[in-house]
Amino acid sequence: MADFRKALADDKVYFFDGGYGTLLQSRGLPAGLSPELWGMEAPDVIRSAYADYVEAGADLITSNTFGGSAPKLEGKADVFELNRRMVELAREVADGRSFVAGSVGPTGKFVEPLGPLSFREMVDIYREQIRGIVAGGADLILAETHFDLAEIKAVVVAAREVCDLPVATSMTFEGSACLTGTSPQTYVDTMQNLGVELIGTNCSAGPEQMYDTLVQWLPRLETPVFAEANAGLPELDEEGNTVFRLAPEPFAEQAVKFLDVGAKIIGGCCGTTPDHIRALRAKAEGRSWAMPQKADHASTVVTSRAVSVPLGFDHRSVIIGERINPTGKKLLTEELQEGRFNEAMRFATEQTELGAPVLDVNVGAPMVDEGQLLPELVKSLVARYQCPLCIDSNDSDAVENALWNYPGSPLVNSITGEPGKMERLGPLCRKFGAPFILLPLEGKKLPVTAAERIEVLERLLAEADALGIPRRLIVVDALALTVSSKPEAARASLELIRHCKENLGLATTIGLSNISFGLPARELLNSNFLALAMGAGLTSCIANPNSARLQETLHSVEVLLDRDKQAQRYIEGFSNWTPGTAAPAATGGGASSSAGSQDSADPVFSAVVKGDRDAILDLVEKKLESGMSAMDLVNDLLIPGIMEVGEKYERKEYFLPQLLRSAETMKTAFGRLQPLLEAESEGGSKPVVIMATVEGDIHDIGKNIVCLMLGNHGFEVIDLGKDVPAERIVEAAVEHKASIIGLSALMTTTMVRMEDTVKLVRERGMDVKVIIGGAVVTEKFCNAIGADGWSTDALDAVRIAQNLVQ
């Protein structure tokens, strides 16, 4: 086969293979056994599966390495050797007829703050796996079926560190977002910033639902895409076996429509077989491919795990909140020197509630180790707020450390013409997919005129081009110099902004307050200059969103530039306007904090809803000192707070990161109240729940979340872990006098083991209820095995458990 990058650039349509789970199961894969480990024992069966897909017309076959990472293999095989061998088998079968995609799946672990692993540790895990894949002879690295943006980013970073193979990535979505809250558009924005060669989606949906996801990508898409849908959703047949009902012909009829929305490569996932791929190829015969023309001309996009903020001429201008900066702030400086972030968090909340879509983060103060403190503050902000961050430091090491703690595409502030600065930071920003502010400064002389600034800018852009840094990562600082000493400086900034828009197509920003330094009525000058700059093409500014005049100007100009259709945001924010009052947060258009404003609610309730784990203990102590009982605290504030979080989660206002943060806050409060609750209840016991992932299944993320939520709702949880035999589960239920057994399974091949526990409970005549859960579990399956309840999410599991113990 030719080089895969060349194939991506031609006008042909290509085809991935289909699913392997049910195919291998039909050829002897024991239920619950890792396909990767089994592949080392039965290489001929793996070869035959590969060969069947090649014969069916697959241009790309996927190596049997999806679960080949160290956490998944759990020491049962050498990671490098297993991945090398599985890819070698695919390479032998492909024999020049197909490309080999080295499959890299989720580890089953989360990156902090959602889980125990640092981003560096996750990258190291994937480096080990990818080294084996490369040694086996793969044509590309394929990160597939991921559901967390930080983890799939770790695959990309690891691949770039190990090899120069093309990288393809694929996330799985349920409706508007993946499990951890990333929308399809934010996923695409982040992957394009990382420079991956192929972007896709697979699993969790049939072709009709997946089509809607692809449509969402189109506005800003400039990378080839692929799609691999399931053969419908899993069902149970009369014998209790998992089946996928969508036959090859109707699957092909639906999946071929992916080509209408720009797909370059199409294939199948769970339940699809060589016959599905054969039918799909026949249905697409004669079709050619061309990269769709993107309609949204945002030149740069910054992202968090959950939010995209485009900086472009068709988009409204963005205020980058400047307040998390110790300059002139005594309390913030003192706290940063002590390693505390209370004031920084207060500024973050204030600015997000005023609608700032991006927050600048600077810890540069005397006696502060920026290399240690900046990444810690970034990690804390990422845990609590959804908006993207701007990492602001003159310390290159601090910037790099912060980039290792960020899940999306942050903005870096800034790169100048200082010797070595571009060489140091430019490749880092490219590696982490981080847009950066390019400041046209060289040496000690300030470029005052527009011509001088453009000359410096062109040299810096040429340097960035030579380093392979894409223009989409560059935001030009228009360099605000104070007009009190350099009267022509404002006009020069405006000319530079126009040049960037009209001749370079680059986004621009500016430190707004610099323009008025040393003059009275600074807000007046700042706001009028902002209006002129927006008219010239300014896409963002670093400023204080708490300025009423600034907000008035910003939203007025958006209407005049026709970027606020039917003046909707303007009307919403200023219907009851009087001069000198700030606009409401809704008009700011930014990503709010993870909880939004809870100003009218009790502080304890608000802390749970916001997930403010750092503040909850002090707030609980104050309530106890005021005479409130521990039981009333739980019933009147903590439980209502976590219920509010649950409702937000169900409405898709919150996602897994916010749910976990609030649950941990609740857990922290319970830790303090537990002894008091036991004293107040005079030794009253709590209902016991035995939780376990069934035998053969090593996925425990969902189960762990359910454990946390049950504990927060008054249950005593005994967590037996993963891959637990039915006999052990039942013995634990007897030992702990459990009221409920909760069983989890992620795979269709292991969900059938849930029935083992149900049968054992019934055979022994035990008075214990069994509830089951997992992405593949259905009501029909629950009824078929005789379980007492089923759920696909943690909050529903809590409700079922509560009903069963009443």
Side-chain angles (χ1 to χ4, degrees), residues 315-319 357 530 534 538-541 554 558 563 588:
H315 294 269
R316 49 185 160 155
S317 292
V318 168
I319 294 180
L530 175 62
M534 289 172 65
L538 185 75
T539 55
S540 66
C541 65
L554 180 74
E558 291 297 344
R563 294 198 298 234

Side-chain angles (χ1 to χ4, degrees), residues 120 135 155 168 323 415 422 487 571 750 752:
R120 287 180 187 269
V155 180
R323 301 285 285 155
I415 296 179
M422 180 69 76
I571 293 169
T750 57
V752 293

Side-chain angles (χ1 to χ4, degrees), residues 502-523:
E502 296 170 5
N503 300 317
L504 301 175
L506 292 177
T508 48
T509 193
I510 200 162
L512 192 62
S513 62
N514 292 343
I515 207 79
S516 62
F517 185 78
L519 293 171
R522 294 185 65 187
E523 275 194 305

Side-chain angles (χ1 to χ4, degrees), residues 340-530:
R340 295 188 295 116
F341 299 143
N342 291 345
E343 188 72 353
M345 293 297 172
R346 187 182 72 79
F347 280 131
T349 299
E350 174 189 276
Q351 291 179 109
T352 54
E353 291 181 351
L354 286 165
V358 180
L359 299 181
D360 189 80
V361 186
N362 185 306
V363 298
M367 297 181 292
V368 167
D369 181 356
E370 290 191 58
Q372 187 272 328
L373 201 67
L374 183 60
E376 288 301 317
L377 178 54
V378 164
K379 191 190 305 182
S380 297
L381 290 165
V382 164
R384 194 179 303 182
Y385 302 93
Q386 294 188 38
C387 61
L389 302 180
C390 176
I391 297 169
D392 184 356
S393 177
N394 290 322
D395 184 332
S396 297
D397 291 337
V399 171
E400 178 177 9
N401 292 342
L403 288 173
W404 280 102
N405 283 278
Y406 195 87
S409 295
L411 186 62
V412 170
N413 187 9
S414 58
I415 296 179
T416 68
E418 177 186 337
K421 195 85 169 182
M422 180 69 76
E423 293 92 331
R424 172 80 172 93
L425 285 179
L428 270 177
C429 290
R430 181 187 63 205
K431 174 179 178 176
F432 289 102
F436 60 88
I437 295 172
L438 185 59
L439 193 61
L441 283 175
E442 288 179 327
K444 297 180 179 180
K445 181 184 176 183
L446 288 174
V448 178
T449 69
E452 290 173 326
R453 299 177 189 201
I454 292 170
E455 183 181 349
V456 174
L457 176 61
E458 294 291 352
R459 284 197 293 270
L460 293 178
L461 289 174
E463 191 176 351
D465 291 342
L467 291 169
I469 299 165
R471 293 286 178 98
R472 68 176 291 114
L473 296 183
I474 297 176
V475 179
V476 176
D477 192 317
L479 196 59
L481 303 179
T482 176
V483 294
S484 61
S485 60
K486 299 192 182 323
E488 70 275 37
R491 190 170 65 248
S493 293
L494 297 175
E495 290 178 25
L496 179 58
I497 291 167
R498 288 193 192 94
H499 177 77
C500 288
K501 177 184 179 182
E502 296 170 5
N503 300 317
L504 301 175
L506 292 177
T508 48
T509 193
I510 200 162
L512 192 62
S513 62
N514 292 343
I515 207 79
S516 62
F517 185 78
L519 293 171
R522 294 185 65 187
E523 275 194 305
L524 191 60
L525 275 176
N526 292 344
S527 60
N528 280 288
F529 177 72
L530 175 62

Side-chain angles (χ1 to χ4, degrees), residues 562-573:
D562 192 27
R563 294 198 298 234
D564 184 358
K565 300 303 179 185
Q566 285 78 51
Q568 182 177 347
R569 291 189 303 272
Y570 180 81
I571 293 169
E572 179 186 354

Side-chain angles (χ1 to χ4, degrees), residues 124-416:
D124 288 342
I125 287 169
Y126 282 128
R127 278 171 54 90
E128 183 182 17
Q129 181 180 8
I130 292 169
R131 281 180 55 248
I133 288 171
V134 173
D139 294 296
L140 66 148
I141 306 300
L142 172 63
E144 58 176 338
T145 327
H146 284 265
F147 48 81
D148 178 49
L149 191 66
E151 185 170 16
I152 200 168
K153 179 180 174 180
V155 180
V156 179
V157 171
R160 300 300 193 213
E161 289 187 350
V162 170
C163 64
D164 62 356
L165 291 178
V167 177
T169 62
S170 179
M171 288 193 82
T172 178
F173 298 94
E174 296 183 16
S176 62
C178 69
L179 176 66
T180 54
T182 302
S183 71
Q185 185 63 68
T186 296
Y187 158 63
V188 167
D189 290 334
T190 306
M191 293 302 104
Q192 292 189 150
N193 284 342
L194 283 162
V196 302
E197 286 83 356
L198 182 64
I199 295 173
T201 182
N202 74 298
C203 206
S204 81
E208 292 180 330
Q209 298 81 14
M210 192 165 283
Y211 181 90
D212 296 335
T213 297
L214 297 180
V215 170
Q216 293 181 56
W217 294 356
L218 286 175
R220 288 202 287 271
L221 190 66
E222 49 188 344
T223 305
V225 303
F226 71 97
E228 299 175 288
N230 292 342
L233 297 177
E235 300 178 24
L236 287 179
D237 62 15
E238 290 73 14
E239 287 76 38
N241 299 312
T242 304
V243 296
F244 292 84
R245 301 290 189 186
L246 198 56
E249 284 300 321
F251 172 84
E253 288 275 358
Q254 296 176 26
V256 77
K257 296 177 183 178
F258 297 157
L259 302 179
D260 298 336
V261 287
K264 169 74 172 176
I265 307 175
I266 52 179
C269 200
C270 297
T272 58
T273 66
D275 287 339
H276 287 78
I277 303 308
R278 189 175 288 109
L280 184 57
R281 180 147 196 152
K283 191 67 64 175
E285 186 175 0
R287 297 286 295 266
S288 59
W289 175 82
M291 188 69 219
Q293 294 295 311
K294 67 174 187 175
D296 183 338
H297 299 291
S299 56
T300 300
V301 185
V302 293
T303 71
S304 64
R305 182 181 262 111
V307 174
S308 289
V309 177
L311 307 178
F313 313 114
D314 298 332
H315 294 269
R316 49 185 160 155
S317 292
V318 168
I319 294 180
I320 301 171
E322 68 180 6
R323 301 285 285 155
I324 307 177
N325 187 319
T327 303
K329 301 182 183 73
K330 183 179 179 181
L331 179 56
L332 178 59
T333 298
E334 290 175 352
E335 284 197 354
L336 292 176
Q337 290 169 338
E338 296 167 1
R340 295 188 295 116
F341 299 143
N342 291 345
E343 188 72 353
M345 293 297 172
R346 187 182 72 79
F347 280 131
T349 299
E350 174 189 276
Q351 291 179 109
T352 54
E353 291 181 351
L354 286 165
V358 180
L359 299 181
D360 189 80
V361 186
N362 185 306
V363 298
M367 297 181 292
V368 167
D369 181 356
E370 290 191 58
Q372 187 272 328
L373 201 67
L374 183 60
E376 288 301 317
L377 178 54
V378 164
K379 191 190 305 182
S380 297
L381 290 165
V382 164
R384 194 179 303 182
Y385 302 93
Q386 294 188 38
C387 61
L389 302 180
C390 176
I391 297 169
D392 184 356
S393 177
N394 290 322
D395 184 332
S396 297
D397 291 337
V399 171
E400 178 177 9
N401 292 342
L403 288 173
W404 280 102
N405 283 278
Y406 195 87
S409 295
L411 186 62
V412 170
N413 187 9
S414 58
I415 296 179
T416 68

